Amino acid sequence: MSHINLMRAAPQRRLGGWQVLLLLVFFFGVVASVNAVMIYAALSTFRGEEVSRAYERGLAYNLDIAGAREQSARDWKVEATILRRGAWENLVSVTLRDQNGGLSGLKLMAEIRAPVDGRKDVAVDLAEIAPGRYEAPIVIESGFRDLVLVATRDGRAMFRSKSRIRID
């Protein structure tokens, strides 16, 4: 007598319509959540533009060129240093000279910008402590920054510079 061993196949589980719907909703919910987090991170850190009101600044570009030529013709020598005075505190020191010596009577502003995160930007007005020498304490984190210096006299910009620096 021969024995016939019949193997029964396990019943296969089939995906129903509701299960497919739930999987699709879950998948697109994960994608939308990740997108929302990334959009929030992008909008809350990167400022997206170098200057505010870029269109108007673009229209005034010829005035910027004329101002740069005037600044170059003045032949001012500018030295800026940032000295660490504590764990967080630094001293911004700027010396402005022309061919006659130190330049006095200017209003000097220094802005230290984080290239990506606008929340880390710090601006300070520097006080004149000697003819042509301006200083101010500042609290800033270490890292790469953009140092923007703007010197004005009687409300008119006389000097502007932007330099990439590293604060240790």
Side-chain angles (χ1 to χ4, degrees), residues 16 32 42 46 66 72 94 124 152:
F46 184 59
S72 180
V94 178
V124 64
T152 58

Side-chain angles (χ1 to χ4, degrees), residues 76 96 103-108 126 128 134 151-153 158:
W76 288 3
L96 291 142
L103 295 164
S104 294
L106 295 168
K107 180 180 180 192
L108 187 61
L126 283 75
E128 187 172 4
Y134 300 82
T152 58
R153 180 178 284 151
M158 303 294 286

Side-chain angles (χ1 to χ4, degrees), residues 8-138:
R8 287 186 152 181
Q12 290 186 351
R13 192 166 183 192
R14 299 187 68 183
L15 272 159
W18 284 104
Q19 293 167 328
V20 171
L21 177 64
L22 288 175
L23 284 173
L24 283 173
V25 168
F26 176 74
F27 172 77
F28 285 109
V30 168
V31 170
S33 299
V34 170
N35 283 341
V37 168
M38 298 302 275
I39 289 170
Y40 173 77
L43 293 176
S44 66
T45 59
F46 184 59
R47 65 177 115 257
E49 59 182 21
E50 187 65 25
V51 295
S52 61
R53 299 174 53 202
Y55 178 74
E56 288 85 0
R57 294 290 301 159
L59 293 176
Y61 185 66
N62 288 336
L63 296 174
D64 291 342
I65 292 172
R69 287 187 181 135
E70 289 176 17
Q71 177 175 318
S72 180
R74 286 187 204 99
D75 197 30
W76 288 3
K77 306 294 185 235
V78 179
E79 293 178 20
T81 58
I82 299 178
L83 304 170
R84 173 133 348 247
R85 295 198 326 189
W88 289 94
E89 188 176 357
N90 299 287
L91 180 70
V92 178
S93 179
V94 178
T95 304
L96 291 142
R97 296 186 317 270
D98 64 4
Q99 57 273 22
N100 300 322
L103 295 164
S104 294
L106 295 168
K107 180 180 180 192
L108 187 61
M109 189 271 301
E111 185 175 6
I112 301 175
R113 297 180 182 171
V116 176
D117 191 351
R119 296 174 298 183
K120 295 181 180 179
D121 292 355
V122 178
V124 64
D125 290 322
L126 283 75
E128 187 172 4
I129 61 162
R133 185 174 172 99
Y134 300 82
E135 291 184 351
I138 194 165

